[in-house]
Amino acid sequence: MESITNPEIIAVIATDNDGVICRFNKGAETLLGYSAAEMIGLKKVASFLKKEEFKNFKSDILSRYQDKNPNVDPYRLLTLNDGYDAREWTIVKKDRTTFIAHSTLSPLKSESGESMGYIRIIRDITNQKTIETELLRKNQVLHYAEKITMMGNWQWDTITNAVTWSSNLYNIFEVDPNQELYFDTYFSFVHPDDKEVVTVSIAESIKDKNFYDLLHRIISTSGKTKTIQLLGEVITDNEGNVIEIIGTCQDVTEQRMAENKFRGLLESAPDAMVIVNEHGKIQLTNKQTEILFGYPSKELLGKPVEFLIPKRYNTKHTTHREKFFNTPKARKMGEGKELYGINKQGKEIPIQISLSPFKTEEGLLVSAAIRDITIQKKAEKKLIKTKENLEILANRLKAKNTQLADFAHITSHNLRAPVSNLNSLLEFYKTAETEEEKTLLFEKFEIVINHLTETLNTLIEALKTKNEGSKELETIPFDEILNKTKEILSGQILKTDTIITSDFSKNPKINYNRVYLESIFLNLLSNAMKYKSEDRTPEILIQSAIEDGVQKIWFKDNGLGINLERHGHKIFGLNKVFHRHPDAKGVGLFITKVQIESMGGEISVESEVNVGSTFNINFNA
């Protein structure tokens, strides 16, 4: 518990049922400015939460669980519904300053299900929110930029034929934004005289896996004839098959007007914009370029674009530029690499560049949007470091929690079945009429007791394991595990007259953790007998196979079955029971699911009430 409540990065605060703080870790002391001594047993969580936000929290919880009582305790509602709450809070520190936090609130319960209080995990996301706000602002700028340039972007999934347009593309075609799009939707707007040109161009782009710039006419919904220019990129999978085409669309009907608007966009853009011709000479710049590089526009006109790049990159950049003009397409420059510009003072600046080619009467030009990412690079490094620390902490907590829960449940549950069978054998022993019957039953006593001792010793050794990844694997025949399980459950099998059949011919063995495999067989077989139908002899069929490289096994019974519509969502939950059986604890299926998933597999169930159930296990899903 100490390792859970004392991480360095996040605050972990536990309270009792009355909301009084009973745990306050180092992270909480660092983030909130209070010492643990000032808070534990003296303060409630409400002391550092804003009242208006608590009202919103209460309103949300009441609405979530449809409780109309205004006096109800929202914390109590969460406990009653086995719920949790995750949201953003404004946290008030001891010095009365505030920060924005992501808070996760979960009820704490004992093994018997009694409420023990609550645990709240708090993480400071002030910087993250600042970055999100900036990204949102930049996305809005991009949206406005599309409107100003009369451009839109599109995506065409050639596999499903699904098409996605940006909002401004709907405006260009005058289409309802709610309309479902396909390639034929776009093609229906193509001018009749241009349909053949478009068909041939698209076919060649797919064939050559290279999008050819396309200039053609459309007839919009209102009947207007417009000329549009398409630029795009063909996306292929690892086998070279075309799976997607993405690109831009610009309305160039009024070229002169578009050029004027482009100039206005250039000056209003938040980034430095540099227009370069196919010879690499700078044709046009905006005010942001002057600010970023320190050169007046007149000093840059006619200069090679390499003038703004550190000399060590000049040779390579010239080669890249020539290649780009041979196959021009909209893209980011140097993806995955760090790019630098150099200003008039000789200072290098980390930058991000997006390239967009466009045709003019004077030839092909390229617009380079250049962004100073000095602040962004610092923020990224900080975020990466924080993420790495959080991932390390989360993995440690997950491993410890899984280990504790895993072995605690195995110990409490897997020992119950052998003990129960000893009781069943004892009943048979008491009613045995001959010495021969008693001798036979006594032999079964010895077998079950030996298995019980073996299970205890195995669990004791397993509890010493400190690393989740240290589970020992061995090649185990399914027949061996089944025979051992039948011996352990021999009393229950005799008592219920259960018929167990198996077919492991298609996959007789598996490389697996022995403790887990024995537990899986024990839980599923004992459950099948526990929930047998009173109207028929219990029958259990176990089969194994390998399908598409996946090792599988099925446990099929003819018992009571489960109403999956009613209970399907919680069938593998902890302490979830579906029949009024006196021994039902709601632990066996939970343990089984945890064990299978911890080994990289999955379990599912098919069931029909009064017919039976089939549990399907994929060991290496």
Side-chain angles (χ1 to χ4, degrees):
M1 186 64 180
E2 187 66 21
S3 64
I4 295 175
T5 58
N6 280 285
E8 292 296 324
I9 304 302
I10 60 177
V12 181
I13 302 169
T15 68
D16 59 20
N17 286 324
D18 296 323
V20 178
I21 295 171
C22 56
R23 287 293 180 102
F24 197 81
N25 76 333
K26 292 291 185 183
E29 291 182 327
T30 301
L31 288 180
L32 276 71
Y34 293 99
S35 68
E38 292 178 282
M39 305 300 282
I40 295 176
L42 301 173
K43 298 276 190 175
K44 294 187 176 183
V45 171
S47 62
F48 54 80
L49 300 179
K50 288 193 172 184
K51 291 182 179 179
E52 56 270 25
E53 292 186 357
F54 180 82
K55 289 180 181 178
N56 294 335
F57 160 71
K58 181 177 180 179
S59 176
D60 290 346
I61 299 303
L62 266 63
S63 175
R64 182 189 306 175
Y65 298 112
Q66 300 180 349
D67 194 318
K68 296 181 180 180
N69 181 3
N71 298 318
V72 72
D73 181 359
Y75 293 101
R76 183 61 178 163
L77 263 183
L78 281 178
T79 301
L80 292 175
N81 290 278
D82 288 331
Y84 74 98
D85 183 76
R87 66 181 60 225
E88 293 178 8
W89 288 87
T90 302
I91 304 299
V92 182
K93 300 170 64 173
K94 182 178 180 180
D95 61 7
R96 308 316 294 169
T97 60
T98 61
F99 65 88
I100 301 174
H102 182 271
S103 168
T104 302
L105 175 67
S106 303
L108 292 173
K109 289 188 176 182
S110 65
E111 290 187 0
S112 62
E114 294 179 353
S115 175
M116 299 171 59
Y118 307 89
I119 187 166
R120 185 183 295 270
I121 300 176
I122 296 174
R123 178 169 55 90
D124 186 349
I125 60 170
T126 304
N127 290 339
Q128 177 184 327
K129 293 297 292 183
T130 301
I131 293 173
E132 288 175 355
T133 302
E134 178 63 15
L135 287 175
L136 179 61
R137 186 190 70 81
K138 290 178 179 179
N139 284 335
Q140 290 173 338
V141 171
L142 179 61
H143 174 71
Y144 293 142
E146 280 197 348
K147 283 190 174 182
I148 294 172
T149 56
M150 297 182 68
M151 292 183 67
N153 62 78
W154 50 271
Q155 295 173 281
W156 175 29
D157 186 331
T158 58
I159 305 300
T160 64
N161 200 32
V163 174
T164 303
W165 286 358
S166 66
S167 59
N168 202 50
L169 202 54
Y170 285 97
N171 296 333
I172 293 174
F173 283 74
E174 299 174 6
V175 173
D176 183 350
N178 296 317
Q179 180 176 338
E180 193 170 4
L181 300 175
Y182 301 95
F183 176 79
D184 289 339
T185 308
Y186 157 79
F187 195 75
S188 67
F189 288 95
V190 177
H191 193 282
D193 295 339
D194 292 347
K195 286 185 180 290
E196 184 177 353
V197 173
V198 172
T199 301
V200 171
S201 179
I202 295 296
E204 289 182 349
S205 293
I206 294 176
K207 176 184 175 183
D208 298 339
K209 300 170 186 176
N210 177 54
F211 191 89
Y212 296 104
D213 297 353
L214 188 57
L215 192 70
H216 69 86
R217 291 167 294 172
I218 64 169
I219 300 177
S220 68
T221 301
S222 66
K224 294 179 183 178
T225 298
K226 301 180 180 181
T227 300
I228 62 171
Q229 182 178 36
L230 296 180
L231 301 176
E233 181 177 5
V234 178
I235 309 297
T236 60
D237 60 17
N238 293 334
E239 298 177 358
N241 300 311
V242 177
I243 58 174
E244 187 179 26
I245 302 179
I246 62 175
T248 60
C249 172
Q250 184 176 18
D251 181 357
V252 294
T253 307
E254 300 293 334
Q255 188 63 43
R256 293 295 179 183
M257 184 181 297
E259 289 176 358
N260 292 336
K261 289 184 177 180
F262 175 75
R263 181 64 196 186
L265 170 65
L266 205 65
E267 290 301 332
S268 64
D271 301 322
M273 304 293 295
V274 178
I275 309 302
V276 181
N277 66 13
E278 52 191 322
H279 303 294
K281 303 295 184 180
I282 297 174
Q283 304 295 296
L284 199 61
T285 63
N286 66 349
K287 192 68 176 178
Q288 292 298 324
T289 304
E290 295 182 15
I291 295 172
L292 179 61
F293 292 100
Y295 293 100
S297 293
K298 61 182 179 181
E299 291 186 23
L300 293 176
L301 295 180
K303 294 282 196 308
V305 70
E306 286 78 13
F307 187 72
L308 300 175
I309 298 172
K311 289 183 179 180
R312 64 180 182 277
Y313 297 123
N314 282 354
T315 302
K316 288 185 178 180
H317 184 269
T318 301
T319 303
H320 291 323
R321 171 169 54 79
E322 290 172 353
K323 288 182 179 179
F324 178 83
F325 274 96
N326 289 332
T327 54
K329 56 185 178 180
R331 65 173 177 83
K332 289 184 178 180
M333 177 179 171
E335 285 187 290
K337 301 178 181 178
E338 291 188 345
L339 302 178
Y340 292 89
I342 188 166
N343 65 14
K344 193 172 184 177
Q345 289 74 39
K347 179 183 177 182
E348 293 191 6
I349 310 163
I351 57 176
Q352 185 180 75
I353 303 177
S354 296
L355 302 176
S356 297
F358 59 97
K359 291 181 178 180
T360 69
E361 295 176 355
E362 300 175 356
L364 183 67
L365 298 179
V366 173
S367 168
I370 306 172
R371 180 172 301 174
D372 182 353
I373 58 171
T374 303
I375 297 176
Q376 180 180 331
K377 295 292 287 184
K378 291 179 180 178
E380 284 177 356
K381 289 180 180 179
K382 188 174 182 180
L383 283 174
I384 290 171
K385 185 63 177 177
T386 301
K387 180 176 178 291
E388 290 174 349
N389 291 338
L390 286 175
E391 286 178 348
I392 292 172
L393 176 62
N395 289 335
R396 287 176 180 172
L397 290 175
K398 182 179 179 181
K400 288 184 179 294
N401 286 338
T402 301
Q403 185 186 30
L404 288 172
D406 194 359
F407 289 113
H409 289 310
I410 291 175
T411 304
S412 64
H413 184 268
N414 285 20
L415 299 183
R416 187 180 297 116
V419 172
S420 175
N421 275 278
L422 285 174
N423 290 330
S424 298
L425 290 172
L426 183 60
E427 291 180 13
F428 281 110
Y429 187 84
K430 289 179 179 179
T431 57
E433 296 180 354
T434 66
E435 286 301 320
E436 183 180 356
E437 288 179 354
K438 289 184 178 181
T439 299
L440 178 62
L441 288 169
F442 193 80
E443 290 175 355
K444 292 187 179 294
F445 267 117
E446 288 184 320
I447 293 173
V448 174
I449 289 171
N450 287 336
H451 283 310
L452 179 59
T453 302
E454 181 183 342
T455 300
L456 281 170
N457 290 334
T458 302
L459 289 173
I460 289 170
E461 288 301 315
L463 282 169
K464 296 178 182 178
T465 303
K466 294 182 179 179
N467 191 322
E468 181 69 19
S470 65
K471 297 188 184 75
E472 293 184 4
L473 304 181
E474 58 181 294
T475 300
I476 313 167
F478 286 120
D479 273 330
E480 178 184 324
I481 300 300
L482 177 58
N483 291 336
K484 180 176 180 179
T485 306
K486 289 164 69 174
E487 289 175 349
I488 294 174
L489 299 176
S490 56
Q492 194 172 345
I493 294 171
L494 286 171
K495 188 175 182 179
T496 57
D497 293 325
T498 298
I499 300 172
I500 300 176
T501 57
S502 63
D503 179 7
F504 300 132
S505 59
K506 295 181 180 178
N507 184 31
K509 56 188 177 181
I510 188 172
N511 193 38
Y512 212 68
N513 177 273
R514 179 176 290 273
V515 174
Y516 281 8
L517 193 59
E518 290 178 355
S519 177
I520 292 166
F521 268 68
L522 185 64
N523 283 327
L524 293 180
L525 286 176
S526 62
N527 265 12
M529 288 186 284
K530 184 186 299 180
Y531 301 114
K532 67 181 182 65
S533 171
E534 298 298 332
D535 301 329
R536 50 187 173 270
T537 299
E539 295 182 8
I540 303 172
L541 171 63
I542 311 169
Q543 293 177 291
S544 64
I546 299 179
E547 296 181 357
D548 298 325
V550 177
Q551 291 185 290
K552 300 186 175 185
I553 194 167
W554 297 270
F555 290 76
K556 183 177 181 180
D557 65 62
N558 64 343
L560 295 175
I562 302 168
N563 186 334
L564 294 181
E565 278 191 26
R566 184 175 180 184
H567 301 297
H569 66 287
K570 59 180 180 178
I571 192 167
F572 294 106
L574 181 60
N575 297 326
K576 304 300 182 183
V577 294
F578 317 106
H579 298 289
R580 296 181 179 179
H581 193 285
D583 294 330
K585 304 295 182 183
V587 175
L589 291 181
F590 170 78
I591 294 174
T592 300
K593 182 175 186 292
V594 170
Q595 291 169 335
I596 292 170
E597 290 182 349
S598 72
M599 298 293 291
E602 62 183 18
I603 182 171
S604 61
V605 62
E606 301 171 13
S607 188
E608 185 177 346
V609 176
N610 294 326
V611 174
S613 303
T614 300
F615 286 87
N616 309 297
I617 299 173
N618 292 352
F619 285 107
N620 53 330

